[in-house]
């Protein structure tokens, strides 16, 4: 016999934005499948369940028609498609993310960007690395990877935030949509100019690969792909970097370890995205009646897979709420799992683990987080520190 979905109406959006992890800990223990009216979705908080749902696209579709994403992106994007339609659009960008391109092109370009951006940081002063380094570094790297180098860092950051705010505008407010609509006009105009350039100067970027493909996808979908990457490729490496630095700089033994042996940078990265997942949740819609943990999930019901909670599951991790560089197993689903697994995973590891973190510790070996208690953590769907005041010495 299957049971009806239990409801938890004590959870508020404000609580989720402030500290979702306390709530997920309780849900994992007491109600791992729970309808939460504040988000209008059924939350899945156990790692086995979030993985099982995302790995089974035949039963759980990515097309959640009730999200504001289509309105915000002015398109039905690859993230909300399944099967061949999804594979076709994802495949169109794939050449830019290929390991050979990462090795032969992006590593060199990203290294130069990192050197330039770290060189302009003032020595001896307290600097907010969120705005002074993490965001612009992610923006410049992404502008190159996508083939829209003429976009400024400020434009990239504004577009990214506008798309994210629009996609998260569940209340249907006018202002976030008006802001993102204006951003679309600027983005489309710039993409059209850059596309003309790529038709004569073929290169390794995503836009070049899509514009010069033998059977190109529709212009609307080329634009949508670039916008998905803008929405997903700036805030996430930015938040991951700030989270990792916070984790390291609040533990003297962690700092000693990374300075002693750079192999620890990879561990610091995996532990950082496990500890605070930059993208915390995703939605999937049941294609037919099914059940999870004996609870009936009716056809067309939308479940929210909480990858943030999966990385804190006590069945896998001891003391999950602690950032611990030496944790033996840092298993997480912070890049997703299944067909929509993050396309930028390898690029993100390269840009932070291989390039930026070693460079930063080399240039400022004694940097310190001046007042860890002043760091403000924020976010439900996307999460990270809003500031990172570091004395650069
Ligand atoms: C630490 C950094 C990052 C994290 C934690 C992250 C996380 C994620 C997650 C969780 C998803 C899956 C969403 C779902 O299942 O519905 C995703 C998808 C995606 N990510 Fe990332 N991401 C990161 C960086 C990047 C970067 C740098 C790029 C681009 C250069 C990127 C491009 C994409 C794209 C295109 C998708 C959609 C894939 C698809 O639907 O097939 N991501 N990302």
């Amino acid at each position: 016999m299957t049971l009806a979905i239990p409801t938890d109406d004590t959870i508020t959006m404000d609580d989720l934005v402030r500290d979702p992890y306390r709530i997920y800990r309780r849900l994992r223990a007491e109600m791992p499948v729970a309808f939460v009216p504040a988000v209008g979705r059924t939350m899945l908080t156990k790692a086995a369940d979030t993985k099982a749902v995302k790995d089974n696209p035949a039963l759980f579709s990515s097309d959640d028609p009730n999200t504001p994403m289509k309105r915000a992106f002015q398109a039905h994007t690859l993230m909300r498609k399944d099967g061949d339609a999804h594979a076709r659009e994802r495949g169109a960008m794939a050449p830019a993310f290929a390991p050979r391109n990462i090795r032969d092109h992006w590593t060199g370009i990203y290294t130069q960007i990192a050197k330039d951006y770290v060189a302009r940081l003032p020595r001896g002063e307290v600097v907010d690395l969120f705005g002074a380094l993490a965001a612009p570094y992610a923006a410049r790297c992404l502008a190159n990877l996508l083939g829209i180098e003429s976009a400024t860092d400020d434009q990239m950051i504004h577009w990214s935030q506008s798309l994210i705010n629009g996609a998260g505008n569940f209340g249907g407010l006018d202002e976030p949509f008006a802001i993102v609509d204006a951003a679309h006009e600027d983005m489309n105009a710039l993409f059209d100019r850059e596309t003309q350039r790529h038709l004569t100067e073929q290169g390794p970027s995503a836009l070049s690969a899509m514009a010069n493909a033998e059977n190109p996808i529709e212009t609307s979908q080329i634009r949508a792909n670039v916008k998905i990457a803008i929405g997903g490729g700036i805030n996430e490496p930015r938040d991951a970097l700030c989270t990792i630095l916070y984790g390291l700089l609040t533990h003297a033994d962690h700092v000693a370890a990374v300075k002693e042996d750079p192999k620890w940078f990879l561990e610091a990265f995996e532990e950082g995205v496990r500890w605070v997942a930059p993208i915390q949740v995703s939605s999937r819609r049941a294609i037919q009646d099914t059940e999870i943990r004996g609870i009936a999930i009716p056809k067309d019901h939308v479940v929210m897979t909480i990858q943030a909670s999966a990385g804190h599951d006590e069945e896998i991790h001891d003391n999950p709420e602690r950032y611990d560089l030496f944790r033996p197993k840092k298993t997480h689903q912070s890049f997703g799992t299944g067909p929509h697994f993050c396309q930028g995973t390898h690029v993100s590891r390269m840009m932070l683990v291989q390039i930026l973190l070693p460079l930063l510790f080399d240039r400022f070996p004694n940097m310190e987080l001046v007042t860890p208690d002043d760091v403000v953590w924020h976010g439900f769907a996307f999460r990270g520190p809003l500031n990172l005041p570091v004395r650069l010495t």
Side-chain angles (χ1 to χ4, degrees):
M1 199 190 71
T2 52
L3 302 168
I5 306 172
T7 295
D8 189 326
D9 56 13
T10 65
I11 299 169
T12 67
M13 191 51 96
D14 280 352
D15 290 341
L16 286 167
V17 168
R18 215 174 306 120
D19 181 10
Y21 285 104
R22 198 174 42 83
I23 295 167
Y24 300 149
R25 183 175 56 211
R26 181 174 60 74
L27 290 180
R28 283 193 303 275
E30 297 172 5
M31 217 192 274
V33 181
F35 181 71
V36 178
V39 294
R41 307 234 176 327
T42 290
M43 288 188 167
L44 306 178
T45 44
K46 294 290 284 177
D49 297 342
T50 55
K51 182 163 167 47
V53 164
K54 281 196 171 176
D55 284 350
N56 192 352
L59 190 54
F60 289 98
S61 167
S62 289
D63 190 8
D64 172 1
N66 296 321
T67 77
M69 193 163 171
K70 201 172 190 169
R71 169 68 185 83
F73 277 76
Q74 295 186 350
H76 189 32
T77 72
L78 84 162
M79 281 191 80
R80 295 276 159 261
K81 292 185 178 175
D82 301 312
D84 291 346
H86 166 250
R88 177 169 171 266
E89 291 180 17
R90 183 174 166 115
M93 265 201 299
F97 294 97
R100 208 179 45 163
N101 258 342
I102 295 180
R103 192 193 59 212
D104 295 349
H105 292 285
W106 306 129
T107 305
I109 291 170
Y110 283 26
T111 302
Q112 193 53 52
I113 296 169
K115 282 184 179 163
D116 292 347
Y117 281 38
V118 169
R120 65 189 195 187
L121 296 172
R123 192 179 289 280
E125 289 178 26
V126 175
V127 172
D128 183 355
L129 290 184
F130 178 99
L133 179 67
Y137 173 62
R140 191 61 5 224
C141 289
L142 191 69
N144 278 269
L145 177 76
L146 296 179
I148 51 169
E149 295 94 312
S150 62
T152 64
D153 293 352
D154 285 346
Q155 274 177 315
M156 295 288 290
I157 290 166
H158 171 68
W159 293 342
S160 176
Q161 200 58 54
S162 308
L163 288 164
I164 286 175
N165 291 347
N169 184 18
F170 284 89
L173 301 174
D174 289 338
E175 200 191 355
F177 288 144
I179 293 173
V180 77
D181 285 347
H184 280 292
E185 279 189 30
D186 294 345
M187 283 190 276
N188 291 342
L190 187 135
F191 296 175
D192 287 350
R193 283 199 305 277
E194 291 283 22
T195 301
Q196 290 310 313
R197 176 172 69 88
H198 290 302
L199 290 174
T200 51
E201 291 171 25
Q202 211 160 332
S205 72
L207 189 53
S208 182
M210 291 191 284
N212 291 298
E214 214 166 294
N215 294 306
I217 57 174
E218 302 74 15
T219 304
S220 62
Q221 300 317 107
I222 293 181
R223 287 177 173 174
N225 271 3
V226 176
K227 289 169 188 172
I228 282 290
I230 292 176
I234 295 183
N235 290 16
E236 296 68 15
R238 175 200 71 194
D239 293 349
L241 175 63
C242 291
T243 298
I244 294 161
L245 285 172
Y246 181 97
L248 290 175
L249 296 177
T250 48
H251 295 85
D253 57 341
H254 292 14
V255 171
V258 295
K259 286 205 273 192
E260 170 81 22
D261 187 341
K263 78 164 191 201
W264 288 108
F265 285 122
L266 178 58
E267 301 287 326
F269 176 91
E270 300 303 333
E271 178 64 352
V273 296
R274 178 205 69 77
W275 187 49
V276 180
I279 298 183
Q280 298 243 307
V281 306
S282 311
S283 290
R284 297 291 187 266
R285 177 176 53 82
I287 289 171
Q288 60 190 58
D289 290 351
T290 182
E291 63 178 81
I292 300 173
R293 289 182 191 263
I295 291 174
I297 307 289
K299 178 174 184 292
D300 286 335
H301 191 76
V302 175
V303 292
M304 194 169 245
T305 63
I306 315 275
Q307 50 259 16
S309 177
H312 282 220
D313 194 331
E314 295 77 3
E315 277 186 52
I316 303 169
H317 302 291
D318 294 334
N319 297 318
E321 269 130 45
R322 214 168 56 200
Y323 181 91
D324 180 1
L325 181 65
F326 307 117
R327 182 182 296 286
K329 238 183 2 180
K330 300 180 173 74
T331 324
H332 61 74
Q333 297 171 29
S334 299
F335 286 106
T337 163
H340 289 270
F341 184 80
C342 173
Q343 211 162 11
T345 308
H346 301 305
V347 168
S348 302
R349 286 205 181 96
M350 177 272 283
M351 69 189 275
L352 298 184
V353 173
Q354 240 176 284
I355 299 176
L356 191 63
L357 284 164
L359 189 72
L360 202 55
F361 275 92
D362 187 53
R363 185 161 166 87
F364 302 111
N366 301 313
M367 64 184 158
E368 52 171 338
L369 187 60
V370 279
T371 43
D373 288 348
D374 288 349
V375 173
V376 180
W377 295 83
H378 178 89
F380 159 59
F382 299 87
R383 190 166 180 83
L386 294 182
N387 59 330
L388 199 75
V390 175
R391 187 183 314 282
L392 296 170
T393 50

